[in-house]
Amino acid sequence: MFTMKDIAKEAGLSQPTVSLVLNGHYSICAETRKRVLETAERLGYRRNEIARAIKTGKTNVIGIIGGLQGGYSLDIITGIAEACAASGYFMKLLPVNNLENDPDALGQAARQCVEHRVAGVICRSLKEHALDTLRAELDAMHIPIVLVDSSSHHDWCSRVVSDDFAGIKEGVAFLLKQGHRKIVQVTSPLNLEYARIRADGYLAAMRESGLPVSEDMICEIDTMLELSDNDKHKLAGFLKTNKPGAVICGSDPVAMKVLRICHEMKIAVPDDMSVIGFAGLDYTNFSSPPLTTVEQPFCEMGAKAFELLLRHINGDQKIYDVKLKTSLIIRDSTGKAKEKMVLLEK
Amino acid sequence: MFTMKDIAKEAGLSQPTVSLVLNGHYSICAETRKRVLETAERLGYRRNEIARAIKTGKTNVIGIIGGLQGGYSLDIITGIAEACAASGYFMKLLPVNNLENDPDALGQAARQCVEHRVAGVICRSLKEHALDTLRAELDAMHIPIVLVDSSSHHDWCSRVVSDDFAGIKEGVAFLLKQGHRKIVQVTSPLNLEYARIRADGYLAAMRESGLPVSEDMICEIDTMLELSDNDKHKLAGFLKTNKPGAVICGSDPVAMKVLRICHEMKIAVPDDMSVIGFAGLDYTNFSSPPLTTVEQPFCEMGAKAFELLLRHINGDQKIYDVKLKTSLIIRDSTGKAKEKMVLLEK
DNA sequence: TTGAAAGCGATACCAT
DNA sequence: ATGGTATCGCTTTCAA
C-alpha cells in the first residue's frame, strides 16, 4: 500500500508536492505534474481518505440511523444513496431495530456517528422521546440531522415527509369521482401519529364534500401483517354495520387485511366495494385484485433528505420542513360506485 | 470537540496516559484512572475513530457492494448488519446499480472501498466478468472479499449462497408427497446461472423419482415483474400443452406471473393446479392464493457472509463455499393432486 | 514552482 | 504506574 511519500521518493520530489498534484492544484508545472501522476499510476497509489479526514476534520460520510424493516426503507435508502453518490458522499448504516427493548440503542448509534465523525445524520421515523437522545448527542458536536418519514416535526431539525393529509384527500376525491359516497376508513391504531394524520385527512375530505362523517366511520386494527381473529371480528363487524361502498385505508398492510376479509366475506372488490391503500409498497402489485393505493415518494424523500442535510453540512442553519406530494396509483381494487346512476340523477 | 490532549491538560496528566485509561489498560492506578474517566465524562469526550484508524491502519468498517434492488437485498443487509453490530463493525454502503450501463461502476466502488480503507468487502451477485475488476482492485490491497448470493463460485474468494438445488428438490418432493406426478417448471431464462441451477434441481428431482422429464417441461419467461403479451402466449401455450398438476417455479416473480395467468385462464389454484415459488419474498404472502414457496435464508446468508469476512480479516486464508439450507413455506397455492387416489391404487 | 516543517488525534514503544 | 517521543498519511502554511 503506497503513500504519497513513496511517490515522492520515486519521483524525486517532496511529499507535499505530490499532495498538491494529486489534489489538482494548478501551481504545479506540467512536467512535475506528469511525473507525479505517472508514478502514482505505476505504483497503483490509492489515496487514504482516513488520513485526509483526520487532517481536514471532515469526512464525506453520513450516518443513516433507523430500523431496516418496513418494506419502504429500502426505497428511502436508495434515494439517499443516489443523491449521496452524486455529491461524493458515502453512507454508513447504523441500524437501530430494537428501540423498544433497548432504549439506549439510539444513543449508542448517535455516539458511534460522533466517533466516526460523520458529516451529518439522516434518521428515520423514531419514537418521539428517543429523538432527544439523538439531539443531545449530535447537537453537542454540531452534526446536523435531518429526519425523514417522521410524523412529528421539530423546530430544531429539518424533516422530509410525504404529504399524507393531501394524499388521503386525493384518494377520497378519486372515490367521490367514481361516484362513491359511503366511504369509510380502516387504519392502524390512531395513537400512531401517521395514522392520526391520515384519519384527519379522511375526515377533512369528507367534510369538505359535505358528506356525513364521524370517528365511528374509522376502524382501527393492528399494524401486524398477520390477520388476527381479533382483527377479523372487528373488521367484519365494521363492514357489516357500515356497508361502505369504498374503504380508504391508512396503510397498505391494513388494505391487504381488508382485501383478505372481503374475500372471506364474499365481498367482491371492486364490484361490491372499492379499496384504496396507502404507501405503494411492492406487494400491492400482487394482491388480488392489485391494489389502488396512494404512493408515497420514498425515493424522492431520501434524495431530498440528503439535499437538506448537505445544506446543513455546508453551514445552512435554516430549518426546513418539506412535504412531498404523493401520487395515486390506480389499479384494480377500485371501481365505479353501484349507486352512481342514482346519485347523478338527483 | 475535545481530544485526549484536552483531557490530559485538565487532569494534569500526559496524553498517552489518557489513551491507556480510555482503552482499558490495567497498568493504570485506580486514582488516575478515575480522574481521567471523570474528566472525559465531564468534557463529553468522544473518541475519534478516524485518528485511531490512521494509526492502527485498520478500520472497523466493511464495504457492502451491490445493487439495492431486488426485494431480498434488505434481508441480506439486515443479516450482515446484525452480525456486524455484534462484532463492533460498521457497514459502508456502496450501491452499484447501473452495472450494465456503466461497466466501471464496480471498479469505482472497489476503489472507494480502498480509499476508505475498509477492512473487508461483501459483494452481492454480480455479473461474472465484473468480478475481475473487483478482484484486481481489492486483492492488491489485501482487502478480503466475500460473495453472497452469487451463483458462481471462484477459487479466490469465499461465498455464501442458499442451496437452491436442494431447495427445488425439496419443493418437488413435497409435490410428490401431495400426489402430483405431472410436474413442470416455469422459470427465468436459463442463461441466468441461478435459473440453470434450479432447473437442474428440478430435473434431478424428477429423475430420481423415476418420473419422465425433459427440458421441454421447462418454460422460460422474462424476469420482469410485468406480464408481457409474449409471456402470456408462451405460458398459456405451455400450460395447455403440458396440463401439469403442479408447477415448481424458478423464482417468486415468475410464480406471480403463473398465478396471474392461471387466473386469466380460469385454472383454479390449488384445486386444478399447484404452484410453488422460490425465494420467499414479502409479496408472496399477499398473492391470491398466498404462495407456497421455497424460502431462501437471506438473513442468515448475510450473517454468515460477515462471519466469513471477519475470519479473513483476521488472517484466515482458507476459501469457504457455504450453502445454506432453504425451507419450504407451505401456504395456499399447493394442494393434493386430483389424480392422487388413482395413483395410490396402482 | 517547489520544499521544509508543523500538526491533526490517536497509538506504541521505550524510558523512567 | 506514568511520561516522552516517534509515527501514521495527509494537508497546510510559510519560505525559498
Side-chain angles (χ1 to χ4, degrees):
Chain A
M1 198 109 59
F2 296 99
T3 70
M4 288 189 178
K5 205 197 279 183
D6 297 320
I7 299 179
K9 203 187 301 171
E10 278 283 313
L13 292 162
S14 81
Q15 177 262 316
T17 305
V18 174
S19 172
L20 288 178
V21 172
L22 261 25
N23 286 302
H25 283 246
Y26 287 108
S27 61
I28 306 296
C29 84
E31 164 60 23
T32 9
R33 176 178 207 76
K34 197 178 138 213
R35 219 165 63 235
V36 169
L37 291 177
E38 276 176 3
T39 8
E41 173 72 15
R42 182 160 53 80
L43 299 184
Y45 170 80
R46 293 290 176 261
R47 120 183 79 183
N48 187 334
E49 286 284 357
I50 306 278
R52 155 181 289 196
I54 204 190
K55 186 59 194 165
T56 61
K58 301 229 156 203
T59 60
N60 53 353
V61 176
I62 64 166
I64 310 288
I65 297 185
L68 246 29
Q69 349 274 38
Y72 52 99
S73 46
L74 191 61
D75 288 322
I76 295 183
I77 292 179
T78 302
I80 301 175
E82 279 163 11
C84 257
S87 305
Y89 275 77
F90 296 87
M91 298 181 291
K92 197 165 278 180
L93 240 47
L94 288 285
V96 177
N97 288 315
N98 52 343
L99 246 191
E100 351 283 307
N101 317 338
D102 180 5
D104 192 46
L106 187 58
Q108 204 176 319
R111 194 151 42 246
Q112 289 164 340
C113 281
V114 172
E115 291 177 350
H116 285 252
R117 298 299 188 267
V118 299
V121 167
I122 292 179
C123 179
R124 235 204 68 209
S125 76
L126 293 158
K127 300 277 164 61
E128 229 8 51
H129 72 287
L131 273 178
D132 294 333
T133 331
L134 233 203
R135 179 184 185 182
E137 186 67 34
L138 297 181
D139 262 16
M141 302 297 175
H142 307 108
I143 297 177
I145 313 174
V146 171
L147 259 35
V148 62
D149 191 38
S150 155
S151 308
S152 58
H153 179 50
H154 303 263
D155 58 359
W156 56 272
C157 83
S158 291
R159 167 241 217 182
V160 179
V161 288
S162 57
D163 192 346
D164 293 5
F165 190 84
I168 282 283
K169 286 177 76 173
E170 189 187 353
V172 172
F174 172 70
L175 290 172
L176 291 171
K177 208 161 52 185
Q178 295 289 83
H180 294 283
R181 290 300 174 266
K182 187 92 188 174
I183 304 170
V184 299
Q185 179 163 74
V186 180
T187 190
S188 317
L190 291 175
N191 57 1
L192 295 171
E193 300 185 66
Y194 74 86
R196 187 65 250 175
I197 290 173
R198 295 170 194 178
D200 290 341
Y202 158 67
L203 295 172
M206 294 296 279
R207 288 201 187 105
E208 285 170 20
S209 308
L211 290 170
V213 71
S214 73
E215 294 269 344
D216 292 345
M217 291 167 67
I218 300 178
C219 175
E220 300 173 56
I221 61 174
D222 265 6
T223 30
M224 296 294 140
L225 271 180
E226 294 76 34
L227 190 60
S228 67
D229 285 340
N230 201 0
D231 286 341
K232 277 192 198 180
H233 277 114
K234 203 165 178 183
L235 254 178
F238 179 74
L239 293 180
K240 270 184 199 147
T241 312
N242 286 281
K243 299 201 190 311
V247 180
I248 178 125
C249 299
S251 74
D252 280 341
V254 161
M256 299 316 275
K257 287 186 174 181
V258 171
L259 247 36
R260 205 170 282 186
I261 278 290
C262 284
H263 193 253
E264 290 189 13
M265 294 175 70
K266 311 262 186 239
I267 299 175
V269 175
D271 292 342
D272 297 340
M273 192 177 97
S274 288
V275 178
I276 296 189
F278 201 102
L281 304 191
D282 260 7
Y283 54 68
T284 57
N285 273 299
F286 299 103
S287 58
S288 123
L291 190 72
T292 294
T293 186
V294 178
E295 185 182 48
Q296 296 177 268
F298 293 118
C299 217
E300 291 76 7
M301 285 161 66
K304 189 72 188 178
F306 178 77
E307 183 201 319
L308 293 186
L309 186 60
L310 195 53
R311 287 197 203 176
H312 290 139
I313 290 173
N314 292 329
D316 186 350
Q317 303 275 349
K318 196 159 173 295
I319 299 299
Y320 299 87
D321 187 24
V322 179
K323 287 199 174 77
L324 260 27
K325 250 183 72 61
T326 60
S327 52
L328 186 66
I329 307 180
I330 299 169
R331 289 198 279 245
D332 308 338
S333 66
T334 46
K336 306 224 170 191
K338 283 181 168 173
E339 71 266 47
K340 184 188 152 205
M341 302 310 290
V342 185
L343 286 164
L344 286 180
E345 280 166 14
K346 68 171 181 182
Chain B
M1 198 107 60
F2 296 99
T3 70
M4 287 190 178
K5 204 197 278 180
D6 298 319
I7 300 178
K9 204 187 300 171
E10 278 283 313
L13 292 162
S14 82
Q15 179 259 321
T17 304
V18 173
S19 173
L20 289 179
V21 172
L22 260 27
N23 286 301
H25 283 246
Y26 288 108
S27 61
I28 306 295
C29 83
E31 165 59 23
T32 355
R33 176 176 207 76
K34 197 178 138 212
R35 217 163 66 235
V36 169
L37 291 177
E38 276 176 3
T39 345
E41 172 72 15
R42 182 160 54 80
L43 298 184
Y45 170 80
R46 293 289 175 263
R47 121 184 75 184
N48 188 334
E49 285 285 357
I50 307 278
R52 155 181 289 197
I54 204 190
K55 182 58 190 166
T56 60
K58 303 228 157 205
T59 59
N60 53 353
V61 176
I62 65 165
I64 311 288
I65 296 184
L68 248 29
Q69 349 274 38
Y72 53 98
S73 46
L74 191 61
D75 288 322
I76 295 183
I77 292 179
T78 302
I80 301 175
E82 280 162 10
C84 258
S87 305
Y89 274 77
F90 297 86
M91 297 181 291
K92 196 165 279 180
L93 239 46
L94 287 284
V96 177
N97 289 315
N98 52 343
L99 246 189
E100 350 285 305
N101 316 337
D102 179 5
D104 192 46
L106 187 59
Q108 206 176 318
R111 195 150 42 246
Q112 289 164 340
C113 281
V114 172
E115 292 178 350
H116 285 254
R117 298 297 190 267
V118 299
V121 167
I122 292 179
C123 180
R124 234 205 67 208
S125 76
L126 292 158
K127 300 277 164 62
E128 228 10 50
H129 72 288
L131 274 178
D132 294 333
T133 332
L134 233 203
R135 180 184 186 184
E137 187 68 34
L138 298 181
D139 262 16
M141 301 298 174
H142 307 107
I143 297 177
I145 313 174
V146 171
L147 258 35
V148 62
D149 191 37
S150 156
S151 308
S152 58
H153 178 51
H154 303 263
D155 58 359
W156 55 272
C157 83
S158 291
R159 167 239 217 183
V160 179
V161 287
S162 57
D163 192 348
D164 294 4
F165 190 83
I168 283 282
K169 286 176 78 172
E170 188 187 353
V172 172
F174 172 71
L175 290 172
L176 291 172
K177 209 162 50 186
Q178 295 290 83
H180 293 283
R181 291 298 176 269
K182 187 91 187 175
I183 304 170
V184 300
Q185 178 162 74
V186 179
T187 189
S188 317
L190 291 175
N191 57 2
L192 296 171
E193 300 185 66
Y194 74 85
R196 188 64 248 175
I197 291 172
R198 295 171 195 177
D200 290 340
Y202 158 68
L203 294 171
M206 295 295 280
R207 288 200 187 106
E208 284 169 21
S209 308
L211 289 169
V213 70
S214 73
E215 293 269 345
D216 292 345
M217 291 167 69
I218 300 178
C219 175
E220 300 174 56
I221 61 175
D222 265 7
T223 29
M224 296 293 140
L225 271 180
E226 293 77 33
L227 191 59
S228 68
D229 285 340
N230 202 358
D231 286 341
K232 277 192 198 180
H233 277 113
K234 203 164 179 185
L235 253 178
F238 179 75
L239 293 181
K240 269 183 200 147
T241 312
N242 287 282
K243 300 202 189 312
V247 180
I248 178 125
C249 298
S251 74
D252 281 341
V254 161
M256 300 316 275
K257 287 186 174 181
V258 171
L259 246 36
R260 205 170 282 185
I261 279 289
C262 284
H263 193 253
E264 289 188 14
M265 294 175 69
K266 310 262 188 242
I267 300 175
V269 175
D271 292 342
D272 296 340
M273 193 176 96
S274 288
V275 178
I276 297 190
F278 201 102
L281 304 191
D282 260 7
Y283 54 69
T284 56
N285 273 299
F286 299 103
S287 57
S288 129
L291 191 72
T292 294
T293 187
V294 178
E295 185 182 49
Q296 295 177 267
F298 292 118
C299 218
E300 291 75 8
M301 284 161 66
K304 189 72 188 178
F306 178 76
E307 184 200 319
L308 293 186
L309 186 60
L310 195 52
R311 287 197 201 175
H312 291 141
I313 290 173
N314 292 330
D316 186 352
Q317 304 275 348
K318 196 159 172 295
I319 300 298
Y320 299 88
D321 187 23
V322 178
K323 288 201 174 77
L324 260 28
K325 250 184 72 62
T326 59
S327 51
L328 186 67
I329 307 181
I330 298 169
R331 289 199 278 245
D332 308 338
S333 66
T334 45
K336 304 225 171 191
K338 281 180 169 175
E339 71 265 45
K340 185 188 150 205
M341 301 310 291
V342 184
L343 287 165
L344 286 180
E345 280 166 14
K346 66 171 180 181

